Amino acid sequence: MRVVWQLLAVVVVSLVGGQSVAAVQDNPWATLGLGLVTAVLAVYVYAWVVGRTEKRPVAEVGRRGAIGAVVRGVVLGTLVFASVVANIAFLGHYEVDGWGSYTGAVGLAGFMAGASVTEELLFRGVLFRTMEERFGTWGALIPTSVLFGAWHLLNPDASLWGATVIALSAGPMLAAAYVATRSLWLPIGLHFGWNFAASGIFSTEVSGNDTQQGLLDASTSGPTLISGGEFGPEASLYTLVFWALVTVGLLWLARRRGQLTPRRSKRADPVALVP
């Protein structure tokens, strides 16, 4: 039942926060404020419900080193997306026509903050972490990545190909970021950095969502395998390649640090699995 309570708590914050942000989407500063409130509230609710149901300090969202980890994640996520766009532009399928809207970027920062934090708490904080306890790192990596990809099929211009790329790239990469650090702050930063770079800076679609214009007035075109089509650059083969490289690096780091968790033995005391 602990997983059910944890999922419900974070989902409620996500739904209420999402509806609140949607209600003020025409006001970028209100969107920024409500998005940040949603993100902060989600972390506190997650820490509270996990602490209550598992009777332990919730170290994965501890304050120590949080800012540095988030900043590193944001920088890396932004750089990887910029690399993807640079390759798409090199082939002539991403063009910048001028400057876009800085207020649009402000609003998108709030929207992406709320979405990135709540999704990481759900998929890496609750689902991956609890599955890893029972099935080990490798046993949790595949099903949670598939679920993460399938989650994006709910978006307006979603495609099976786009969801597959997310399941093969972003899902494993974000889980690997958690395993390597045993903290949710790095995956949160990576998730936000990627999403904000896609929408708030380069003004592309994000997982099938046609967002408001960001800092650049730009457009993508060409084959889906290159540009990602209506799903956005997340469905590009370049995304698959770049995130695969990051995933390998993070898993190597996790192994070097001894952070990989083996599958729990069938002989383990079943009482130990219950908080």
Side-chain angles (χ1 to χ4, degrees), residues 114-134:
S116 300
V117 171
T118 53
E119 286 187 10
E120 288 311 302
L121 294 175
L122 284 172
F123 286 94
R124 261 58 64 178
V126 179
L127 293 177
F128 178 84
R129 182 179 57 80
T130 53
M131 290 187 69
E132 187 186 34
E133 292 174 3
R134 184 66 179 271

Side-chain angles (χ1 to χ4, degrees), residues 40 43-44 46-47 57-72 182-186:
V40 172
V43 171
Y44 275 100
Y46 172 86
V58 190
E60 63 267 27
V61 288
R63 294 181 182 179
R64 185 175 181 180
I67 295 177
V70 170
V71 169
R72 288 191 293 273
R182 290 298 163 185
S183 167
L184 291 171
W185 296 121
L186 182 62

Side-chain angles (χ1 to χ4, degrees), residues 201-261:
I201 298 176
F202 294 99
S203 300
T204 66
E205 294 81 1
V206 180
S207 306
N209 288 303
D210 188 9
T211 62
Q212 296 179 354
Q213 191 176 68
L215 291 177
L216 298 176
D217 180 9
S219 60
T220 56
S221 60
T224 297
L225 292 180
I226 301 299
S227 68
E230 293 183 350
F231 195 83
E234 280 174 305
S236 169
L237 285 176
Y238 285 117
T239 295
L240 191 59
V241 171
F242 279 106
W243 276 139
L245 293 174
V246 175
T247 301
V248 170
L250 288 169
L251 289 175
W252 173 84
L253 180 61
R255 182 179 180 183
R256 184 177 181 183
R257 292 176 173 178
Q259 301 279 42
L260 298 179
T261 302

Side-chain angles (χ1 to χ4, degrees), residues 113-188:
S116 300
V117 171
T118 53
E119 286 187 10
E120 288 311 302
L121 294 175
L122 284 172
F123 286 94
R124 261 58 64 178
V126 179
L127 293 177
F128 178 84
R129 182 179 57 80
T130 53
M131 290 187 69
E132 187 186 34
E133 292 174 3
R134 184 66 179 271
F135 303 109
T137 300
W138 300 110
L141 194 66
I142 295 175
T144 55
S145 295
V146 171
L147 285 173
F148 189 59
W151 173 266
H152 292 81
L153 287 172
L154 301 175
N155 293 341
D157 291 319
S159 67
L160 182 58
W161 167 248
T164 300
V165 173
I166 287 180
L168 294 174
S169 57
M173 182 276 301
L174 293 167
Y178 166 73
V179 174
T181 60
R182 290 298 163 185
S183 167
L184 291 171
W185 296 121
L186 182 62
I188 284 173

